[in-house]
Amino acid sequence: MTSLEATTPEKQEYSVTEISNILKRKVELEFSQVRVRGEISGLKIAPSGHIYFSIKDNEAVMAAICWRGVASKLSIKLEEGMEIICIGSITTYPMQSKYQIIVNQFQISGEGALMALLLKRKEQLAKEGLFDLAKKKKLPFLPSKIGIVTSPTGAVIRDMIHRLSDRMPVHVLLWPVLVQGDQAASQIASAIDGFNQMASPPDLIIVARGGGSIEDLWAFNEEIVVRAAYNSKIPLISAVGHETDTTLIDYASDLRAPTPSAAAEMAVPVKADLLLMINDKKRRIDHLVAQIINNKKTYLNSITRIIFANNNLMIGAVQKLDHLSMRFERSVLSYLLDKNNYLKLMVSKIKKPLQLIENHYNKLNYNFMILAKTANNSLKNNQDKLIYLSSLLESYNYKKTLQRGFSVLRSNDNKLIKSIDQIQENNQYQLELKDGVRIMIATGK
């Protein structure tokens, strides 16, 4: 029996299975391809990969099933409360006497629903800290290797490579991916993870795509892509769509570029500008070094003049000491000679008894002791002064300066060379160092 109409009047009874099968065939024939709009409720994903949920509006609820083969190819992630359009066929489930839709394709119900879903996901990920500015990584100033995640065809990759070549030639690694469709999100996330796991990873990653509608760019709003960008240990620039387009990867990346070409400009400096900056820095450093050297030369010349001036001063002091010593020696001898003459005179005039002679003799001995003591004290004082002046002279001796790495240049007639203008080409000069003297010949200015 194929239908209720084919039932003969004599047979008015049907088994439950018969009625269920008749209804199943009628429903499937009548609703073999339908589009049903509603809100997802009771979403469950079975271990087998099949998706079970209900789709409802304000007045009714319908069961829905998405088999594993279709579920694995979804371009969007189903979420509780999402407003969608389910495309598929209506069938019944006799075990529970209910009807359900077998979904072959999903569509977001309008751009407003997509934006609502986008805002909800953005709020959720923001609460987890995936968009925190404090966690953004600093871009390298001059990367030697850049990894680009984008489609291998189209104008985006060509424009980026051309812009990089114009500014600063750099090694580019392209990880080709789909940037739209069911598999785009998983490929983009895998590319970001793949660059991070390379033995010799790039210094910078750029995820790029041209402009498009919100549906076209939806892969860059998927949670798997946003988390991959956030977890990247390599600094990442997002360059998705045009300047007015914003996707969730823009919030998780370390820097958002308004366009793919702008990302290339942000990634590397202009080579010509960099060379100008380097040359300017070099000129400043050269000027500073020359100024420091001139200051040190002036200081050294001042120290040299002081040393030689002190040498001349010490020479005068030594000569004065020698002169005083000789004068002192002559004074002592003169004094002793005068006393001796006086003694002789007194002896010649002695007409008194021996007692007078003895008195004069004792007085003479006393005076001689006083003189000897005075002479010894004076001599010791002058010796101490001589030792002090000798020590001071030694400290100012220019040979001490030679021990610290300086040198003295003299002409053949032993005149001190104080200026480079005194040096004549092909003349011989004496260069005195700490351990000896060498004859030098000036070969040119």
Side-chain angles (χ1 to χ4, degrees):
M1 187 176 294
T2 59
S3 67
L4 291 176
E5 290 78 10
T7 306
T8 61
E10 292 79 13
K11 189 173 182 182
Q12 299 297 324
E13 294 180 359
Y14 302 94
S15 67
V16 174
T17 302
E18 288 175 335
I19 290 294
S20 297
N21 289 336
I22 292 171
L23 291 173
K24 181 178 177 66
R25 286 193 295 270
K26 279 188 169 291
V27 169
E28 289 178 351
L29 181 63
E30 183 70 23
F31 301 99
S32 60
Q33 185 71 13
V34 295
R35 297 168 58 91
V36 183
R37 179 187 291 107
E39 181 182 308
I40 293 177
S41 175
L43 181 67
K44 296 178 182 178
I45 301 177
S48 61
H50 307 317
I51 301 176
Y52 298 92
F53 62 98
S54 296
I55 182 170
K56 66 178 183 178
D57 57 20
N58 293 333
E59 298 180 358
V61 179
M62 178 188 296
I65 301 174
C66 180
W67 302 123
R68 178 178 60 188
V70 176
S72 63
K73 298 179 181 179
L74 291 179
S75 60
I76 60 174
K77 181 182 178 181
L78 300 181
E79 297 183 9
E80 190 78 18
M82 180 186 294
E83 186 177 354
I84 59 172
I85 298 175
C86 297
I87 303 172
S89 59
I90 306 296
T91 185
T92 64
Y93 184 43
M95 291 292 294
Q96 295 182 0
S97 296
K98 69 178 183 179
Y99 64 93
Q100 58 193 11
I101 180 171
I102 307 299
V103 184
N104 299 319
Q105 186 179 353
F106 290 91
Q107 290 180 356
I108 299 295
S109 179
E111 187 171 312
L114 276 178
M115 290 303 300
L117 174 61
L118 181 63
L119 292 175
K120 180 181 177 182
R121 184 174 293 170
K122 178 183 176 183
E123 182 180 359
Q124 173 196 341
L125 297 176
K127 287 181 179 179
E128 295 184 35
L130 270 65
F131 305 152
D132 288 353
L133 295 178
K135 298 179 181 178
K136 303 297 183 185
K137 294 177 287 297
K138 185 178 180 181
L139 301 185
F141 172 69
L142 190 62
S144 60
K145 187 190 302 181
I146 297 177
I148 299 179
V149 179
T150 190
S151 172
T153 60
V156 169
I157 186 62
R158 292 196 301 270
D159 290 346
M160 293 182 69
I161 292 178
H162 178 69
R163 191 61 59 90
L164 288 170
S165 300
D166 286 347
R167 292 174 66 85
M168 175 71 72
V170 65
H171 184 196
V172 174
L173 296 176
L174 171 64
W175 197 300
V177 296
L178 293 174
V179 292
Q180 182 177 340
D182 299 344
Q183 303 299 317
S186 61
Q187 289 188 15
I188 295 168
S190 297
I192 296 173
D193 294 339
F195 274 134
N196 277 270
Q197 295 171 10
M198 291 178 61
S200 179
D203 305 309
L204 179 67
I205 296 175
I206 301 176
V207 179
R209 187 206 190 280
S213 65
I214 185 172
E215 292 88 352
D216 295 337
L217 304 179
W218 192 255
F220 299 92
N221 293 317
E222 293 292 355
E223 186 174 337
I224 187 176
V225 173
V226 177
R227 292 190 182 278
Y230 172 77
N231 292 326
S232 175
K233 296 179 181 179
I234 303 171
L236 187 145
I237 299 177
S238 62
V240 179
H242 299 304
E243 187 169 359
T244 56
D245 297 323
T246 303
T247 57
L248 294 185
I249 191 177
D250 295 331
Y251 298 99
S253 64
D254 298 298
L255 183 66
R256 176 191 179 254
T259 63
S261 297
E265 295 177 358
M266 294 175 177
V268 295
V270 179
K271 183 178 181 180
D273 293 344
L274 190 60
L275 290 175
L276 287 175
M277 182 183 70
I278 292 173
N279 289 332
D280 181 63
K281 297 288 187 183
K282 182 179 181 299
R283 284 193 296 270
R284 292 185 180 184
I285 292 174
D286 290 343
H287 176 73
L288 181 61
V289 170
Q291 187 176 9
I292 292 174
I293 291 175
N294 288 334
N295 291 341
K296 293 298 183 183
K297 283 183 177 178
T298 302
Y299 176 74
L300 179 60
N301 291 335
S302 300
I303 293 297
T304 302
R305 286 194 298 270
I306 292 172
I307 290 173
F308 282 110
N310 287 331
N311 281 341
N312 293 334
L313 178 63
M314 291 305 298
I315 290 172
V318 171
Q319 289 177 341
K320 184 177 181 180
L321 179 60
D322 291 339
H323 178 68
L324 290 174
S325 297
M326 289 186 291
R327 286 183 59 187
F328 175 74
E329 184 179 356
R330 287 195 300 269
S331 298
V332 171
L333 292 175
S334 177
Y335 179 79
L336 292 175
L337 182 59
D338 291 343
K339 286 297 182 179
N340 188 45
N341 292 335
Y342 175 76
L343 181 59
K344 289 180 180 180
L345 178 62
M346 292 301 294
V347 170
S348 63
K349 292 182 178 181
I350 290 178
K351 296 181 180 179
K352 294 182 179 182
L354 186 59
Q355 183 63 42
L356 182 61
I357 296 175
E358 184 177 355
N359 291 339
H360 280 286
Y361 181 78
N362 291 336
K363 186 177 181 179
L364 177 62
N365 283 338
Y366 174 78
N367 290 332
F368 185 82
M369 289 172 59
I370 295 298
L371 177 62
K373 184 176 181 179
T374 302
N376 286 335
N377 290 338
S378 179
L379 182 61
K380 186 177 186 306
N381 290 336
N382 281 281
Q383 285 177 340
D384 292 340
K385 187 174 181 180
L386 177 60
I387 292 172
Y388 168 74
L389 292 175
S390 298
S391 175
L392 186 61
L393 176 62
E394 182 64 16
S395 66
Y396 282 103
N397 193 340
Y398 78 96
K399 291 186 178 294
K400 291 290 186 178
T401 306
L402 298 181
Q403 294 296 325
R404 297 199 299 271
F406 292 90
S407 61
V408 176
L409 187 66
R410 296 186 180 89
S411 61
N412 273 345
D413 54 0
N414 210 32
K415 291 183 178 179
L416 187 65
I417 300 300
K418 299 182 179 179
S419 170
I420 196 172
D421 294 330
Q422 295 177 255
I423 299 176
Q424 302 296 324
E425 188 174 358
N426 297 325
N427 282 3
Q428 290 187 351
Y429 296 90
Q430 302 176 24
L431 181 66
E432 183 177 358
L433 301 170
K434 69 176 184 179
D435 53 355
V437 178
R438 288 289 184 271
I439 301 301
M440 313 298 289
I441 298 178
T443 60
K445 290 292 185 180

